Amino acid sequence: MRAYDSDLTPPRKRSAPAPEVAAEPDLVVEEAGTGFCGAVIGCEAGTVTLEDRFGKRRVFPLEPRGFLLEGRPVTLVRPAAGPARPSRTASGSLAVPGARARVARAGRIYVEGRHDAELVERVWGDDLRIEGVVVEYLEGIDDLPAVVAEFGPGPDARLGVLVDHLVPGSKESRIAAEVSDAHTLIVGHPYVDVWAAVKPASVGVPAWPTVPRGQDWKTGVCRALGWPENTGAAWQHILSKVRSYKDLEPSLLGAVEHLIDHVTVGGPERA
């Protein structure tokens, strides 16, 4: 007769102890029981809150071997008291505490306007400084072919350009098609303005309004949302709501990451 087993602990929890990992903000883990995957956004006594890439949040108990980190079981524990360095940058990259900015590369990333540049800095600034990539804005792309020719891209000085409203048939797509330089990469997002690349939920609105053709888009947005028609102040409000890549639409995320990869492939540095 088999001896009576008085241990009613599920077999999963009787396994060898898993490494303890502090549930620091932005740590991405998978809850072992449900498969829910998300980043840590809060940790209280006995529980941790995860947020997935769609913004859905769930609270789980801090149980032994309760989570998977890069596919391996771990035991999440509450972080030690006191300020902790973020484990990741706003773009989701691993943070490098104490890293010094690299001397600027010869390559560059051009964006259309100041708002585009400020948004890229907000999310990718840490990454760009480590990689030595400078972002400049053009005040529009009407003269893009001439700008590219003046820059003179080459194997050691690659150029990346981020374009608003880069969709088939748009003025922007026609201008971009005029540039055929092998060392220049032009990518974009589908939105009329980079404002709309910020998720509406992050700003606290249900959706970005539709603005009639012929009307200034930013002013029309302010009117439709009942904001004062001060587009500079409106942008600062929007920008203040962007804390990380999670607040941006995937189409912009992919475009900027592609540009950074393009510009950082080889090449010397330029003071």
Side-chain angles (χ1 to χ4, degrees):
M1 178 181 296
R2 190 176 66 179
Y4 175 70
D5 186 354
S6 60
D7 185 356
L8 299 180
T9 304
R12 175 174 64 86
K13 296 180 182 177
R14 290 191 231 170
S15 303
E20 291 189 350
V21 176
E24 299 284 3
D26 295 327
L27 177 71
V28 178
V29 295
E30 177 183 340
E31 201 280 325
T34 63
F36 185 89
C37 184
V40 174
I41 62 169
C43 186
E44 304 295 335
T47 65
V48 63
T49 302
L50 303 182
E51 181 180 85
D52 70 9
R53 62 193 182 96
F54 301 107
K56 182 178 180 180
R57 299 182 179 184
R58 292 187 62 178
V59 179
F60 298 100
L62 293 175
E63 296 184 341
R65 298 177 62 86
F67 300 86
L68 301 179
L69 177 61
E70 297 180 350
R72 298 186 177 185
V74 295
T75 297
L76 289 188
V77 295
R78 192 176 184 184
R85 293 184 182 274
S87 58
R88 294 185 179 273
T89 66
S91 72
S93 301
L94 289 174
V96 184
R100 298 179 62 183
R102 178 175 175 167
V103 175
R105 292 176 181 268
R108 291 288 187 272
I109 291 177
Y110 287 165
V111 298
E112 285 200 48
R114 181 169 59 86
H115 293 179
D116 306 69
E118 290 176 345
L119 187 58
V120 169
E121 164 62 26
R122 182 85 169 191
V123 175
W124 287 275
D126 290 340
D127 307 63
L128 293 168
R129 280 182 283 278
I130 290 175
E131 294 291 349
V133 177
V134 174
V135 175
E136 300 179 8
Y137 65 90
L138 303 172
E139 294 290 2
I141 64 162
D142 289 350
D143 299 321
L144 183 60
V147 169
V148 173
E150 181 180 358
F151 181 86
D156 297 332
R158 292 168 173 251
L159 180 62
V161 184
L162 179 68
V163 177
D164 298 341
H165 200 223
L166 192 62
V167 296
S170 68
K171 178 192 77 171
E172 292 82 0
S173 67
R174 292 192 293 272
I175 294 173
E178 296 176 24
V179 178
S180 57
D181 181 84
H183 305 292
T184 299
L185 174 66
I186 300 176
V187 297
H189 56 76
Y191 308 107
V192 173
D193 191 275
V194 77
W195 286 20
V198 179
K199 291 181 178 177
S202 296
V203 185
V205 299
W208 290 110
T210 299
V211 177
R213 186 180 295 272
Q215 183 179 145
D216 177 72
W217 191 84
K218 293 174 183 176
T219 303
V221 166
C222 292
R223 289 173 181 166
L225 295 177
W227 295 350
E229 292 181 24
N230 181 333
T231 57
W235 169 243
Q236 291 306 312
H237 170 70
I238 295 167
L239 187 62
S240 72
K241 302 300 182 181
V242 177
R243 296 175 177 83
S244 77
Y245 70 97
K246 299 174 188 177
D247 297 306
L248 303 182
E249 297 290 356
S251 57
L252 179 63
L253 295 175
V256 176
E257 294 287 351
H258 198 181
L259 290 176
I260 295 174
D261 289 345
H262 171 75
V263 173
T264 54
V265 174
E269 297 167 347
R270 176 191 294 168

